[in-house]
Amino acid sequence: MPAVLRPSCWALWAAASVLDDLADQRDAQQAKREARVQAWVHALQCDLAAGTSSDPVRHALVDTALRWRLDLSGLQSAMTSTHDDVRGRHFADWAAWRAWCNGEITPWVDQVRHLFERAGAPMTLRLDRQHDYKRFIDGAQLTDILTDLSADLAQGDLLLPQEALDAFPGAEDDLRQGSWSPAAAALIRELTGLARQWVTRPAMTRGMHPGAATVLSTAACLMRAQLDAVDAAGHCLLKRAPRPSLAVRTRILAPARIRSKLAWSLTPLTVPGPRRPTVAASEPSPAADDTALRPPPPHRDGVRPPQIAADRMPAHVAVIMDGNGRWAEQRGLPRPEGHRAGTAAVHEMVYGALEIGLRHLTLYAFSTENWKRDTEEITTILEAIRRDLDQGPIRDLDVRQRWLGHPDKLPQELVQALLREEHRTRNRTGLTLTVCINYGGRDEITRTAAALAQAIHAGDIDPHLIGQDDFARHLPHPDMPDVDLLWRTGNEQRTSNFLPWHTTYAELYFTPGYWPDVDRRDLWQAITEYSRRQRRHGAVPFVSP
């Protein structure tokens, strides 16, 4: 790490360790350990508001947050996960285990990434390498679990998925009884090989700042050395945590320190100025991002949304926003003016979705086919999106913003703005707004198939047992629900390569008006129309006798 970041990285590491220790202390009952974790997290929130702490670890974390202007709300999920760890953990399969890993580690890793960004050496993550990043984190967690196996077993914990344990009959019972059997040895051998494969991701650091790349590649080397020590430990793995020898660590760290020192010496890093007195001026405590949220503005005519029964309400509405260019031409204006006018309709859709209680709204803003348009029109569309991300009126609404699409050919500043808003709004619980930019349905399915093939090659999935759920888990947003209602404006009646996987059973709704003329009442009318339809999903409708 560059010297200027080391104190802050130590502060983050210490805070994560303290929380983990509080959850694991076996000198107290479960309720008392839960209370300790909760008290520590509450004290951190108070300390952030005060700008200082009498506890040395919290003081270091508060100082880091203030000095580097970090938003610690992203740690909320990790703290909640640690709190839940007190009650013990059981994972049915690798998917459940990975979900736990994501909650445990990723938020802390994100804070380190933000430190690098603040220092002027961003640890840029490429969207087309998300699989590599996730597997690297999985590998780090699995390495840690294998290393600490003896301590966890002594506390009655075996933090491995049941799916992995069942593949080696008898291994689970043997490990819990402290017996180093052939089944237990085979299981550990299999898992160390898997972890070694996961942490070896050379593509992950391509194009990254050489200093940051050295940090990650060195971490990977150290983890492989740790896994070698696990493999060599044999039955001793059940008695103590193995460690690589000093000679091995020196062989890895000595050249890495030379490379990193050279890389950081050539990089003008930003050193933070004086600490701000309190966090209240920016992003203080977990969930602080939600304190300034406001309701959507009322419609200019004072109209209110219709009352739709909960069982008739769509969960997910997707909209093809068509007719911007034709709207402008109809008025003798250049086509780009239609896209500027269409921004107001986007705001109206969000306001209307919030007022009626819609959970998911997906908007088709720019397709992979739209690159065929005039350069000025493309520039206007993308610039309008970026400007709205920076200054738009939906920033302070209870809207979780997400982006679906591919970064190729998009301006870097737009990609960064999209990722920033995803991160900033990630904890909001109201409407989930997904904007599709540089998106194509066939492209999405092709890339998902490639990710699935990669998972098969890595041994994560048995190709003979692939189901629809496996495919869905490898989509860019696996948690996106199926579309209930697909609405297209502009008097066209086709789906245009939009969300083919999610719209298989969507109700289709087409309207003649151009997009800039639409307001929230049109969304409510579309939802009302949906509520009147009978959805059968291939079944015969029930007729009462």
Side-chain angles (χ1 to χ4, degrees), residues 183-507:
L187 169 66
I188 299 303
R189 214 166 30 244
E190 171 76 12
L191 294 177
T192 54
L194 201 56
R196 193 175 285 107
Q197 181 181 345
W198 286 348
V199 300
T200 305
R201 300 281 157 176
M204 184 174 65
T205 57
R206 287 178 196 153
M208 194 176 282
H209 183 283
T214 299
V215 170
L216 290 179
S217 60
T218 305
C221 289
L222 287 169
M223 283 188 279
R224 285 193 293 271
Q226 181 63 50
L227 291 166
D228 291 341
V230 170
D231 269 336
H235 67 278
C236 294
L237 185 65
L238 304 183
K239 299 177 182 178
R240 59 181 177 274
R243 298 294 175 194
S245 68
L246 176 61
V248 169
R249 295 200 304 273
T250 302
R251 189 167 64 246
I252 295 170
L253 289 171
R257 284 174 175 152
I258 294 171
R259 290 196 305 272
S260 62
K261 185 175 182 179
L262 176 62
W264 297 125
S265 70
L266 299 174
T267 305
L269 295 177
T270 302
V271 179
R275 261 185 47 173
R276 292 182 298 177
T278 65
V279 190
S282 75
E283 312 94 358
S285 61
D289 181 59
D290 295 335
T291 57
L293 297 182
R294 58 180 177 81
H299 190 273
R300 61 181 179 276
D301 295 337
V303 293
R304 298 295 300 159
Q307 296 297 313
I308 306 291
D311 62 343
R312 307 301 296 171
M313 182 76 182
H316 186 183
V317 175
V319 186
I320 300 175
M321 307 179 293
D322 196 17
N324 288 327
R326 284 173 286 157
W327 179 91
E329 290 171 345
Q330 194 178 69
R331 288 159 176 75
L333 300 171
R335 285 179 60 87
E337 290 303 315
H339 299 292
R340 292 191 179 95
T343 302
V346 171
H347 301 156
E348 274 291 300
M349 286 305 102
V350 174
Y351 301 154
L354 285 168
E355 287 185 320
I356 202 170
L358 185 65
R359 302 300 300 167
H360 290 265
L361 176 66
T362 300
L363 303 178
Y364 204 4
F366 189 85
S367 75
T368 50
E369 288 76 24
N370 287 153
W371 293 107
K372 302 171 186 175
R373 297 188 179 187
D374 178 80
T375 302
E376 182 183 356
E377 185 174 352
I378 292 172
T379 301
T380 300
I381 294 172
L382 299 182
E383 179 58 28
I385 295 170
R386 189 197 61 76
R387 187 169 54 251
D388 205 55
L389 288 167
D390 291 339
Q391 307 165 6
I394 70 171
R395 286 174 54 84
D396 298 327
L397 303 178
D398 190 10
V399 177
R400 175 191 177 204
Q401 297 189 51
R402 298 203 299 185
W403 166 39
L404 184 57
H406 201 265
D408 285 357
K409 298 199 285 187
L410 288 178
Q412 186 61 32
E413 59 271 19
L414 174 59
V415 172
Q416 292 303 320
L418 289 163
L419 296 177
R420 183 195 65 231
E421 288 307 296
E422 275 197 0
H423 177 78
R424 190 179 67 86
T425 63
R426 68 198 178 281
N427 293 322
R428 295 185 181 178
T429 57
L431 172 70
T432 294
L433 173 66
T434 304
V435 181
C436 297
I437 303 169
N438 198 23
Y439 171 86
R442 288 182 174 179
D443 177 74
E444 178 184 47
I445 287 179
T446 301
R447 293 180 185 280
T448 301
L452 192 61
Q454 189 175 9
I456 293 169
H457 180 71
D460 299 336
I461 297 176
D462 184 341
H464 300 99
L465 300 176
I466 290 177
Q468 293 184 24
D469 289 345
D470 296 304
F471 189 91
R473 279 199 301 271
H474 288 80
L475 288 164
H477 292 313
D479 59 338
M480 177 184 280
D482 284 348
V483 174
D484 297 309
L485 174 63
L486 174 60
W487 170 27
R488 180 171 188 151
T489 63
N491 208 28
E492 301 287 354
Q493 298 189 18
R494 55 182 180 272
T495 58
S496 295
N497 199 22
F498 184 41
L499 299 177
W501 179 267
H502 300 87
T503 57
T504 306
Y505 278 102
E507 293 293 318

Side-chain angles (χ1 to χ4, degrees), residues 11-25 33-44 55 57-58 61 72 75-86 103-104 108 286:
L12 288 165
W13 178 85
S17 298
V18 164
L19 280 169
D20 193 49
D21 289 345
L22 288 173
D24 285 343
Q25 286 173 349
R33 284 182 281 131
E34 283 188 63
R36 286 174 178 174
V37 173
Q38 195 166 3
W40 199 93
V41 173
H42 177 71
L44 173 62
D55 177 86
V57 173
R58 289 200 303 270
L61 189 59
L72 296 186
L75 296 179
Q76 185 66 37
S77 62
M79 292 176 179
T80 301
S81 183
T82 302
H83 180 271
D84 293 342
D85 284 348
V86 175
E104 286 272 313
W108 297 99

